[in-house]
Amino acid sequence: MKSDRVKKGIERAPHRSLMYATGISKSNLERPFIGIVSSFTDLIPGHTGMRDLERFIEKGIHSGGGQSFIYSVPGVCDGISMGHVGMHYSLPTRELIADMIESVTIAHALDGLVLLTNCDKITPGMLIAAGRLNIPSIVVTAGPMMTGNYKNIRRDFVTDTFEAMGQCQAGIIDRKELDRLEMAACPGQGSCQGLFTANTMACVSEAIGMSLPYGGTALAGFAEKRRIAQESGERICELVREDMKPRDIMTPMAFDNAIAIDMALGGSTNTTLHIPAIAHECGIKFGMERFDEISRQVPNISSLKPAGIYYMEDFHFAGGIPAAMQELGSAIHDCPTVSGLTTHQIASQAINYNQDVIRPVGNPVKQEGGIAVLKGNLAPLGSVIKQTAVSEAMRHFRGKARAFNSEEEAMKAIMDKTIQAGDVVVIRYEGPKGGPGMREMLAPTAAIMGMGLGDKVCLITDGRFSGGTRGPCIGHISPEAAAGGPIAAVEDGDTIVIDLDNRSLALEISDEELQERLKTAEHPEPKIQTGWLARYARLVTSANTGAVMSDG
């Protein structure tokens, strides 16, 4: 065992003495050392219930013959950090989390890990660490939040806060109604109720084989989640004995499975950042083009919020990821999982209890999967859009550019009602390097939807979008403006043409004029020039690579 290097031999007497000081018994010193990497915090609703789950994971580890040790990593709530300077720090925490897990795990010679996670950057950060360390690991996500209820109508975070904000600004609802909605939208613990980024990554964790069956969708606070936590604790001990490592599970075919599930469910565009970054740590290289290839092959079979009508609770009770894999059939490769069953074995045991929620491939919601990758002179290295959240009327759009160098400038124009039908809102210098940190643009997109402009206005950015975004919103434009990308050359009044069917995003000017503009484009000063984000901006790569850190 890896832990032998801190507990075996005469020369390790000081090490054992310190471990005895933690309360460990001499007999338990012989057991495999299992780290419970907890992201518990009072700051994030998706994580407030983790103290309970830590107990059940501990029970499982000790039942399975291991010795557990809890240590912690931080988390940022994207919803709370949204729309202000805090959002600069969200995506970069993915790298901090991975680095912290690497540091503590190697320093203390742990034999295996249970990764207790839930929200947007925390889950991919933990999976990046699992791929990097390649020691037996299993992911436990804390589960989705139940929907709220107001006026006997189910409510959710995005529709009833961010989009309601736009409705209030437009005079559709008053401030008292907004106050009532914000109180009802989030009733308790768990990740936000739709297939936003947190729940998309939980589904990806299960589909790729790193969580037990139904672990990605079992609801927060329910006894089922406690059972999954305990079973995961037991199973990690078996994985250590079997020497089953993350790279044995996260293979190229497993990554294709994860993307197929993502496309089938209409998940967050943020997966085009996170899945390639996880693959990078496993020594597997692919870019956002792979998403488009699979999206053309795999239909969208579930109408989940924000693009659709159902919530995570509906999807889970219908049969969850196993039922979705069963419906996708041959689109899912037969791969090993941490459960000891293969994906085909899991799918064969599934039951689809509601074929309105999880449709057969012969009766899909949409013929193509959730994400499309667009290229053109505005995005030579690609850009992404959640095409299942775009109305048919907006799949082909020609509009006039309104260019802004920050989210704040664009948001002010939207709230001041200066954005008109036919506009293309261009937000630049918000990429991984230019942000720095590639902020999410949920506030402006939700405000546009709330004001009734969702079928009349497009938004494009070198930043990114929340998993809760819907409508004609194109992100991850690469290269970004701060790296000299063509989006830096867009001027007010330029014609921009968006064509989802042909996967194109074009600025209607000549190549010669575009190059001349880029030569003279004035680049604003970085928004943050001190602290850790200044270092991050120097090392981070573009969105089309997964925004991974360069070695230099």
Side-chain angles (χ1 to χ4, degrees), residues 135-332:
I135 66 169
S137 303
I138 191 166
V139 173
V140 177
T141 48
M145 183 189 297
M146 284 289 289
T147 50
N149 196 292
Y150 172 57
K151 294 183 176 178
N152 206 31
I153 298 170
R154 290 197 293 174
R155 305 292 180 170
D156 74 271
F157 171 59
V158 171
T159 305
D160 297 296
T161 61
F162 275 97
E163 291 185 15
M165 171 187 67
Q167 292 173 339
C168 185
Q169 185 69 15
I172 299 169
I173 61 174
D174 61 23
R175 183 58 189 269
K176 286 185 178 179
E177 185 71 356
L178 180 62
D179 289 346
R180 295 187 187 104
L181 286 168
E182 68 187 52
M183 286 293 292
C186 299
Q189 64 173 277
S191 48
C192 303
Q193 302 102 325
L195 194 65
F196 313 142
T197 304
N199 290 325
T200 301
M201 287 307 304
C203 291
V204 163
S205 299
E206 183 179 340
I208 209 169
M210 289 296 290
S211 292
L212 295 183
Y214 305 100
T217 57
L219 296 166
F222 279 47
E224 181 182 15
K225 183 60 74 176
R226 286 177 159 185
R227 290 191 290 270
I228 289 170
Q230 181 159 342
E231 289 164 7
S232 296
E234 293 172 1
R235 182 62 188 148
I236 189 60
C237 299
E238 296 171 5
L239 291 172
V240 170
R241 286 190 284 270
E242 295 165 6
D243 198 30
M244 175 68 80
K245 301 184 181 73
R247 293 188 196 177
D248 300 325
I249 294 165
M250 293 194 289
T251 62
M253 288 195 298
F255 279 103
D256 278 356
N257 285 348
I259 296 171
I261 285 293
D262 184 18
M263 298 304 101
L265 302 183
S268 167
T269 53
N270 280 315
T271 57
T272 64
L273 289 172
H274 299 321
I275 294 177
I278 298 161
H280 174 78
E281 294 293 346
C282 295
I284 300 167
K285 304 296 183 186
F286 64 86
M288 61 173 68
E289 292 81 8
R290 187 62 180 146
F291 289 80
D292 199 64
E293 292 169 5
I294 294 176
S295 185
R296 291 177 183 270
Q297 300 165 5
V298 175
N300 173 216
I301 63 170
S302 196
S303 178
L304 296 171
K305 291 276 188 175
I309 59 175
Y310 295 112
Y311 297 94
M312 290 304 296
E313 61 206 62
D314 303 315
F315 178 64
H316 178 66
F317 295 136
I321 298 299
M325 291 195 299
Q326 184 185 79
E327 295 294 353
L328 290 177
S330 61
I332 297 296

Side-chain angles (χ1 to χ4, degrees), residues 489-500:
V490 177
E491 296 178 358
D492 283 351
D494 284 345
T495 298
I496 293 174
V497 181
I498 298 159
D499 185 344
L500 266 62

Side-chain angles (χ1 to χ4, degrees), residues 20 25-31:
Y20 290 142
S25 69
K26 191 168 185 177
S27 60
N28 282 358
L29 204 65
E30 301 301 316
R31 296 183 172 205

